[in-house]
Amino acid sequence: MTKHKFVTEYELRASPKMLFPYVSTASGLQQWFASKVNVGSNQSMIFEWDGENHPAKIVSMRQNKSIKYDFTPDANEQEHNYMEFRLDQSDLTNSTFLKITDYSDNTDEEDLQALWDGLIDTLREVVGG
């Protein structure tokens, strides 16, 4: 199956330092992103959605800047799914922009936009931004 790269960006009224734990720690991600998140061994996390576990390895991380998760593929998949969160702060407005790259099997742009809009609404409620 062909993978699809979906990129979207959101403005949040919180500093990168405040937001980074919400995209990089199990407890932070569990508050808005997945039903459950467990820390695995060797820089890995196990995300749970709809009762299914999805193991991912942290392949890159820059403190308060970005983090990238590479999901372990199924036996019949050639390419890995991955997800990257990147935080950039505007010097002009002091707002933080969260850029999300979602590389997966889902090719429906409207569905992906609605999914991320809902997740980010939850994140905004949690951080107050």
Side-chain angles (χ1 to χ4, degrees):
M1 184 170 217
T2 304
K3 301 287 183 182
H4 176 71
K5 185 176 182 179
F6 175 78
V7 180
T8 189
E9 188 173 69
Y10 297 91
E11 182 178 4
L12 299 163
R13 287 179 172 60
S15 70
K17 190 174 182 177
M18 182 188 173
L19 288 170
F20 193 71
Y22 289 98
V23 298
S24 63
T25 66
S27 60
L29 287 160
Q30 197 167 285
Q31 291 185 53
W32 69 279
F33 183 66
S35 336
K36 192 172 185 181
V37 181
N38 291 307
V39 177
S41 60
N42 297 333
Q43 294 278 53
S44 69
M45 295 214 187
I46 301 157
F47 296 89
E48 183 181 308
W49 291 286
D50 302 324
E52 287 185 27
N53 287 335
H54 301 273
K57 186 173 178 103
I58 298 170
V59 292
S60 69
M61 179 168 53
R62 289 186 56 216
Q63 191 67 32
N64 299 328
K65 291 281 184 197
S66 66
I67 188 160
K68 183 176 180 179
Y69 298 97
D70 187 20
F71 288 87
T72 307
D74 292 334
N76 59 350
E77 283 185 311
Q78 297 294 325
E79 286 187 88
H80 297 210
N81 292 347
Y82 71 83
M83 181 177 50
E84 182 176 30
F85 297 113
R86 183 172 298 279
L87 296 165
D88 291 308
Q89 191 165 28
S90 166
D91 294 332
L92 209 56
T93 64
N94 218 24
S95 290
T96 300
F97 291 90
L98 172 60
K99 183 177 181 179
I100 300 162
T101 304
D102 180 345
Y103 186 73
S104 67
D105 297 327
N106 191 343
T107 59
D108 186 335
E109 291 272 335
E110 286 181 22
D111 183 40
L112 286 164
Q113 190 67 58
L115 171 72
W116 283 108
D117 287 351
L119 289 168
I120 296 301
D121 285 346
T122 304
L123 177 60
R124 282 188 173 117
E125 288 175 18
V126 171
V127 298

